[in-house]
Amino acid sequence: MSTETSGQSVSAETTPNPDAPVVQVGPDAGTETGQAGDGARPGSRPAASVDSVANAVATPDKEQPYAALGLKPDEYQRIREILGRRPTSGELAMYSVMWSEHCSYKSSKIYLRQFGQKVSPAMKQRLMVGMGENAGVVDVGEGWAVTFKIESHNHPSYVEPFQGAATGVGGIVRDIISMGARPVAVMDQLRFGAIDHPDTARVVHGVVGGISFYGNCLGLPNLGGETYFDPVYQGNPLVNALAVGVLRHEDLHLANARGVGNKVVLFGARTGGDGIGGASILASDTFEDGGPTKRPAVQVGDPFAEKVLIECCLELFKGELVEGIQDLGAAGISCATSELASNGDGGMYIELDNVLLRDPTLTAEEILMSESQERMMAVVRPEKLDAFLAVTKKWDVETSVLGEVTDTGRLVINWHGEEIVNVDPRTVAVDSPVYERPVEYPSWIDALNEDTAANLPRPTAGDDIKGDVLALVASANLADKSWITNQYDKYVLGNTALSFPDDGGMVRVDEESGLGFAVATDANGRYCQLDPYEGARLALAEAYRNVAVTGATPVAVSDCLNFGSPENPEVMWQFKRAVEGISDGCLELEIPVTGGNVSFYNQTGDQPIHPTPVVGVLGIVDDVARRIPSGWQDDGHNIYLLGTTDLELDGSAWAGTVHGHLGGRPPKADLQREKDLAGLLHGAAQESLIGSAHDLADGGLAQALVESVLRFGIGARVWLGDILDRDGVDAATALFSESTGRVIVSVPREDDVRFLGLCEGRGYPVLRIGVTDATSDTLEVQDLFTASIDELREASRGTLPQYFGATIG
Amino acid sequence: MRIGVITFPGSLDDVDARRGVRLAGAEPVALWHGDHDLQGVDALVLPGGFSYGDYLRAGAIASRSPIMAEVIDAANSGMPVLGICNGFQMLAEARLVPGAHTRNAHQQFIRRDQVLTVENASTAWTTHFEQGEEIIVPLKNADGRFVADPATIERIEGEGQVVFRYTHVNPNGSINDIAGVCNERGNVVGLMPHPEHATEPGFGPDTEAAMASGVDGLRFFTSALDALLARA
């Protein structure tokens, strides 16, 4: 992916340049892929514009624009020390993007190490590739593996919502391809400003349109994700994208350049002037009013080029024509060459003139930094080059050989016959600066924690409770999201077993056996503002539970950590605590973090966003035929509540929606209980005992009941008395509290005894709280209120169209 | 019986169409746009997707692919040909079926489980339906608005060339709710919705009976099998 500040693994995006001499496979048969001016050769540029290594040695005192490229004075000095001279302008360009926060993780590195340190043997069992590669890879059995990762594309999506979001999808998908996998699904985690703010519709239309345009055209089912609205994201919306790929074990590929004499090949779209400096300028800085427009730093995507690139890469893998492969994302060719070289035999020679260009006027520095999309770099044995080129020609993918792997330990790049880069690639890609930034306990947090929602007036009369339920159902964050999801293709590839609005997505991997994976993500910025450690654990717990309710077994984690400026010590404290929360939680649940991404500088002016660590959990299911849907489909099923309810309204959707309140301490997450719950649900799924299961989260029991009714339009009668007696809470708390470890399930009467036996055997608290009723067309909460399905549906479906236009269908 | 599914650059539902053919009991054959070779198949499917990124017009570039010369000959000689979504657009661009497609009236991509009424149950791809039957088939498109000049509309309505009509909701502004049409002979059928996405229980559209249980699409392919057996 491209432009974001990032984290556990660095991925890059850049684009190639087509006019290159060496090998060029032009498009035939009318392909549109990157057809820019053939024939426009860069060779005509005046040689005086080339800042060669020799020139750098000769002119040590030349002033260099390092600050404009995002480097600090001490970082510039460090580069001079490494090289023993001033950097050439090309080297300066490379270091500036690769040492950016986005690419180098310089502020987060010291904390991210915990993900690798807090591990038990059980956590390594299924892990084929861990952090540091383009994406983590998990063994799912039967010779299959699944790779998945979440990345952010926040800053570009604010500047240019459509292309920013589109290329966010494109970037994460290329990470998946570079592992040797076929991408099979995407999801998105979106956070926008207040739904009624005049600028929000611009961002929403652009982002959703961009995801729809790119993902649909790429032929990947969108399984859903998250959409939240909160004023804290007004000047800094979050657009995170998750992609999942599947591969056979033997197809695993890694990003390294081994084998002296092997060819370094750039293929895909041509390199243009888009996205130059995206990683350093956009993703690693905050937005200020009045500065120059940053739009030119956003990349422009072409999903058709990426679709043929996917098929082309998979055919290359199948033919065993590739030794190593890397996608081009943030920092483009700078990143791909330096990372491939660092991970391989250590040396590489590149003729930059061979890059196929979309715009022949680009300078060498621009070519090195460009983040043009839909490009890949491969390392190919010389004897396989012809076969490689035959495949790229078949798919009309333009290709040029840039150079080869060497054993010099140096990355050397020539341009117009002059050496413009000569560096140790590890100093660019690996040994970037590491910062131990100041950390400070936020001055405001104690007062915030004191201000508990328990003091807010809770409704007691039935009509008042019903009013609060309807307000929640219609609130921007809990309302029906069909306006968004109706723009996404969930059918393509024919393997989608569960998708929006179910709690988790599920996809079949093997058509014969039914083997599949489930995936879900979660983040709650409000909880994290109250307590980033607990908030992060809660996100992990909920994503884990969302996978468990599908009947799958959770096995791995990816995260995308969205925070404000790391130069703000209070933000660094939030970050530190959140990483501790996730890593401690993963150790407790015994599922590994396989990779992820960090996005800093999510703030406009001085106001950081709420800390928003998005946690994605992947699960395995033996046979997708045993999936558990999230809504009621049948009449007369008993409704059970698993888990117990405490007075935990702090940070809740109820406190936010009804009282505009945020304060107190978030609910407690008991991860051992989450584990027990997941085991219980898995057992019930194996025996096909339950008709549906729905996680209780934002909006508590009330929202879960309404969603279960609305999923297929089946009503229910529910009573709260037993909950009130057992847990000692009032009706409003029973309905709106967000205590964790809770799920409602529906069970056919004939399976009642076995289901209760299962709960008893595992010691999990269970109460029968109602029965489904296909004839009533209402949700009745006895002694409190009755709401018709039409009334609930109208409340749920009316909100987004009110601001964004009619929902089609 | 062997049914060919042609892959163009940017085809997305070719795998799904081959699966649908297989589930219907025929043998799917993968064909490549750049070949002048139909490999002796008995029927053809032009699948959905975004061939050539919908550049110029949806289906326009693909309709000039090398293999389309053979497709046009086969269609004119009576071979059953089905164009789905982007394949429908290609058939229209190749003038094998009447009409054209423009951007959806609401300007957005739309994906929904669509109710269709079968208007003509005697084409090569629809004999296993009842005239007037309502079926559920997933729909997903950005450029799905069927348009034609008034004379053409009058003619195809009169000649029974309207094969499917959107029912309850017109999702894209198509004239007369037209979702699918055929050529005069009835062997070439094009429609916007995706029958290949309604061929396997558990992965199809929601129905009254259960989630994801819709398999109405299967009958497109079994109809073609019957048509082929009748010819054989």
Side-chain angles (χ1 to χ4, degrees):
Chain A
M1 256 196 93
S2 31
T3 326
E4 240 351 73
T5 308
S6 66
Q8 290 114 294
S9 66
V10 178
S11 54
E13 242 148 77
T14 322
T15 316
N17 215 340
D19 294 277
V22 179
V23 181
Q24 180 173 345
V25 181
D28 41 0
T31 321
E32 287 270 28
T33 330
Q35 241 102 276
D38 272 74
R41 292 279 310 275
S44 56
R45 302 175 67 80
S49 69
V50 177
D51 184 22
S52 65
V53 171
N55 189 45
V57 172
T59 57
D61 300 325
K62 180 175 186 267
E63 286 215 10
Q64 295 192 280
Y66 63 86
L69 291 170
L71 285 168
K72 304 282 194 267
D74 57 325
E75 291 173 339
Y76 177 65
Q77 274 312 316
R78 174 90 188 102
I79 294 167
R80 294 189 66 123
E81 283 163 25
I82 287 170
L83 295 173
R85 57 174 164 81
R86 76 160 173 87
T88 66
S89 53
E91 290 165 342
L92 186 65
M94 289 184 77
Y95 278 106
S96 72
V97 284
M98 291 302 290
W99 284 17
S100 67
E101 186 64 56
H102 177 63
C103 290
S104 73
Y105 296 67
K106 57 191 172 188
S107 301
S108 56
K109 235 179 207 168
I110 59 168
Y111 300 106
L112 299 175
R113 287 179 189 140
Q114 293 172 74
F115 291 132
Q117 289 160 351
K118 294 178 187 169
V119 286
S120 68
M123 291 162 76
K124 293 180 183 162
Q125 244 168 14
R126 290 184 175 275
L127 194 60
M128 294 173 64
V129 174
M131 290 185 343
E133 284 290 341
N134 284 307
V137 180
V138 179
D139 176 7
V140 299
E142 301 177 21
W144 289 101
V146 170
T147 177
F148 78 125
K149 189 178 177 187
I150 318 176
E151 277 198 348
S152 57
H153 225 210
N154 304 338
H155 297 88
S157 301
Y158 183 54
V159 175
E160 166 49 49
F162 187 93
Q163 290 296 344
T167 55
V169 175
I172 189 66
V173 166
R174 283 194 302 284
D175 274 345
I176 296 301
I177 307 171
S178 31
M179 301 310 296
R182 171 176 284 281
V184 296
V186 294
M187 290 178 105
D188 300 281
Q189 298 72 37
L190 310 177
R191 280 161 180 84
F192 302 112
I195 194 167
D196 56 356
H197 187 286
D199 190 47
T200 300
R202 170 189 75 93
V203 181
V204 168
H205 277 273
V207 166
V208 174
I211 292 168
S212 165
F213 158 74
Y214 204 102
N216 294 340
C217 191
L218 209 48
L220 295 179
N222 189 314
L223 306 180
E226 308 165 55
T227 308
Y228 282 92
F229 298 90
D230 192 304
V232 298
Y233 303 110
Q234 200 67 56
N236 227 114
L238 303 184
V239 176
N240 295 177
L242 174 149
V244 192
V246 302
L247 64 157
R248 300 294 298 171
H249 286 184
E250 59 272 20
D251 292 337
L252 183 64
H253 279 73
L254 298 176
N256 57 46
R258 291 189 205 284
V260 173
N262 284 347
K263 300 299 177 190
V264 177
V265 185
L266 185 61
F267 62 114
R270 291 186 168 214
T271 299
D274 53 327
I276 289 174
S280 50
I281 295 167
L282 261 190
S284 303
D285 201 359
T286 54
F287 291 122
E288 303 290 348
D289 288 337
T293 173
K294 291 181 175 181
R295 273 182 79 164
V298 180
Q299 315 85 341
V300 177
D302 175 356
F304 169 63
E306 180 125 325
K307 169 62 181 172
V308 290
L309 196 57
I310 293 174
E311 300 303 330
C312 177
C313 284
L314 290 168
E315 196 165 328
L316 291 170
F317 297 148
K318 196 174 171 193
E320 300 183 346
L321 301 175
V322 172
E323 301 304 305
I325 190 159
Q326 166 83 309
D327 68 302
L328 276 74
I333 292 175
S334 296
C335 179
T337 53
S338 60
E339 287 198 347
L340 280 168
S342 296
N343 295 336
D345 290 344
M348 188 182 284
Y349 172 75
I350 296 291
E351 286 273 1
L352 203 59
D353 303 83
N354 293 353
V355 175
L356 299 172
L357 294 177
R358 195 180 289 161
D359 171 1
T361 67
L362 291 181
T363 65
E365 296 78 15
E366 289 168 330
I367 297 168
L368 286 169
M369 292 172 77
S370 164
E371 297 185 357
S372 290
Q373 300 289 292
E374 294 94 23
R375 300 179 301 166
M376 302 287 282
M377 186 174 280
V379 176
V380 183
R381 287 177 185 271
E383 65 271 22
K384 292 186 174 177
L385 188 60
D386 286 345
F388 183 100
L389 295 171
V391 172
T392 55
K393 180 170 172 52
K394 173 186 168 186
W395 289 99
D396 293 334
V397 170
E398 290 190 286
T399 309
S400 65
V401 177
L402 300 191
E404 60 186 41
V405 177
T406 66
D407 57 3
T408 60
R410 308 293 290 181
L411 170 60
V412 176
I413 300 180
N414 274 23
W415 170 250
H416 295 181
E418 299 209 53
E419 187 176 281
I420 59 162
V421 171
N422 186 331
V423 298
D424 174 350
R426 293 187 60 85
T427 64
V428 178
V430 183
D431 302 324
S432 46
V434 176
Y435 289 162
E436 195 161 342
R437 294 200 184 267
V439 167
E440 200 173 296
Y441 184 76
S443 53
W444 42 265
I445 204 163
D446 286 339
L448 187 67
N449 289 155
E450 289 298 306
D451 178 23
T452 174
N455 297 333
L456 300 171
R458 295 196 288 278
T460 51
D463 282 351
D464 295 339
I465 287 180
K466 181 178 177 181
D468 283 5
V469 170
L470 288 173
L472 276 173
V473 169
S475 67
N477 291 338
L478 297 179
D480 178 76
K481 299 297 188 300
S482 297
W483 185 88
I484 294 171
T485 53
N486 281 7
Q487 298 183 49
Y488 299 154
D489 182 0
K490 67 175 180 182
Y491 282 109
V492 65
L493 301 180
N495 289 312
T496 307
L498 291 174
S499 65
F500 46 79
D502 291 311
D503 289 327
M506 184 182 284
V507 173
R508 178 173 61 180
V509 170
D510 189 307
E511 287 196 32
E512 295 299 313
S513 68
L515 174 73
F517 66 82
V519 61
T521 66
D522 186 66
N524 188 321
R526 284 165 56 83
Y527 289 166
C528 290
Q529 182 74 357
L530 301 179
D531 183 341
Y533 181 87
E534 284 300 329
R537 285 177 88 241
L538 283 159
L540 173 65
E542 187 180 336
Y544 183 91
R545 198 182 320 123
N546 282 334
V547 165
V549 293
T550 68
T553 303
V555 294
V557 171
S558 179
D559 58 34
C560 187
L561 309 172
N562 306 279
F563 287 78
S565 169
E567 295 165 40
N568 174 344
E570 295 186 345
V571 169
M572 271 324 284
W573 178 84
Q574 292 174 322
F575 181 79
K576 173 175 180 282
R577 293 297 289 158
V579 172
E580 288 167 359
I582 295 172
S583 53
D584 286 351
C586 284
L587 185 59
E588 212 172 326
L589 290 169
E590 293 202 287
I591 53 174
V593 175
T594 63
N597 167 250
V598 178
S599 174
F600 277 131
Y601 295 101
N602 289 295
Q603 61 183 64
T604 296
D606 292 335
Q607 192 53 51
I609 59 164
H610 287 166
T612 312
V614 171
V615 180
V617 171
L618 182 87
I620 302 175
V621 57
D622 299 340
D623 185 352
V624 298
R626 281 198 281 268
R627 68 191 151 174
I628 308 173
S630 68
W632 303 323
Q633 299 186 67
D634 301 289
D635 185 55
H637 281 201
N638 283 325
I639 301 167
Y640 288 95
L641 173 65
L642 294 165
T644 56
T645 308
D646 292 321
L647 176 56
E648 296 188 302
L649 291 165
D650 292 350
S652 67
W654 175 80
T657 300
V658 175
H659 295 280
H661 180 271
L662 175 61
R665 295 183 181 280
K668 293 176 293 295
D670 181 339
L671 296 178
Q672 185 53 51
R673 274 185 60 167
E674 298 288 354
K675 242 172 141 170
D676 296 344
L677 179 61
L680 170 62
L681 290 164
H682 179 69
Q686 289 298 102
E687 296 181 48
S688 299
L689 295 182
I690 51 187
S692 74
H694 193 12
D695 151 65
L696 269 59
D698 302 22
L701 177 61
Q703 181 67 18
L705 290 170
V706 172
E707 287 174 356
S708 297
V709 166
L710 292 182
R711 182 77 173 87
F712 300 105
I714 302 285
R717 271 178 295 120
V718 173
W719 48 89
L720 302 179
D722 296 336
I723 302 176
L724 310 192
D725 290 347
R726 184 192 62 184
D727 298 339
V729 292
D730 59 295
T733 303
L735 284 169
F736 303 127
S737 167
E738 297 182 3
S739 294
T740 62
R742 296 184 304 161
V743 167
I744 49 172
V745 299
S746 62
V747 179
R749 286 180 200 276
E750 61 269 25
D751 293 321
D752 242 18
V753 176
R754 285 167 68 206
F755 173 74
L756 288 170
L758 199 64
C759 296
E760 194 179 340
R762 290 171 181 263
Y764 211 85
V766 59
L767 277 181
R768 178 162 168 263
I769 61 163
V771 61
T772 63
D773 185 345
T775 58
S776 73
D777 291 328
T778 60
L779 171 64
E780 179 191 351
V781 180
Q782 283 180 3
D783 306 326
L784 288 175
F785 68 89
T786 298
S788 72
I789 292 181
D790 285 344
E791 188 178 12
L792 294 170
R793 188 178 284 135
E794 203 173 305
S796 178
R797 293 193 182 169
T799 306
L800 265 61
Q802 185 185 337
Y803 297 99
F804 307 133
T807 299
I808 315 298
Chain B
M1 290 294 162
R2 302 168 76 237
I3 299 181
V5 177
I6 305 172
T7 298
F8 301 85
S11 289
L12 304 178
D13 303 300
D14 44 348
V15 179
D16 304 64
R18 294 204 299 268
R19 185 191 296 114
V21 166
R22 179 166 49 77
L23 292 170
E27 178 192 342
V29 178
L31 302 176
W32 179 245
H33 76 112
D35 298 336
H36 282 288
D37 184 2
L38 298 183
Q39 297 185 27
V41 297
D42 303 298
L44 281 167
V45 177
L46 279 61
F50 287 77
S51 61
Y52 295 99
D54 276 357
Y55 298 142
L56 185 58
R57 290 183 308 276
I61 298 172
S63 72
R64 273 76 178 166
S65 293
I67 203 169
M68 286 303 287
E70 283 71 27
V71 172
I72 290 167
D73 286 348
N76 289 334
S77 69
M79 180 185 284
V81 178
L82 178 66
I84 301 168
C85 196
N86 193 219
F88 183 16
Q89 292 159 339
M90 290 176 209
L91 292 180
E93 288 284 344
R95 300 284 180 270
L96 287 173
V97 292
H101 303 88
T102 65
R103 192 80 180 161
N104 292 346
H106 49 74
Q107 303 296 312
Q108 288 174 354
F109 184 98
I110 173 71
R111 188 264 321 134
R112 69 190 309 271
D113 294 349
Q114 179 68 44
V115 176
L116 302 175
T117 299
V118 180
E119 299 284 336
N120 179 341
S122 56
T123 76
W125 299 90
T126 55
T127 52
H128 284 196
F129 297 109
E130 300 292 326
Q131 187 91 18
E133 182 181 353
E134 289 190 2
I135 60 174
I136 303 176
V137 181
L139 167 113
K140 46 177 207 180
N141 63 64
D143 296 299
R145 182 184 194 178
F146 182 85
V147 295
D149 61 84
T152 302
I153 294 290
E154 192 178 344
R155 179 171 52 82
I156 63 176
E157 290 282 7
E159 300 293 324
Q161 282 178 255
V162 173
V163 184
F164 300 101
R165 226 183 280 281
Y166 298 118
T167 303
H168 306 315
V169 172
N170 180 335
N172 47 29
S174 293
I175 293 176
N176 288 5
D177 302 331
I178 293 171
V181 298
C182 63
N183 63 353
E184 288 177 17
R185 202 165 164 175
N187 63 308
V188 181
V189 171
L191 80 165
M192 262 300 132
H194 288 254
E196 79 281 13
H197 291 325
T199 55
E200 188 179 13
F203 300 91
D206 291 347
T207 69
E208 287 291 317
M211 181 179 82
S213 62
V215 291
D216 288 335
L218 209 48
R219 284 185 280 164
F220 284 74
F221 304 104
T222 55
S223 296
L225 271 181
D226 256 13
L228 292 172
L229 289 170
R231 274 161 48 116

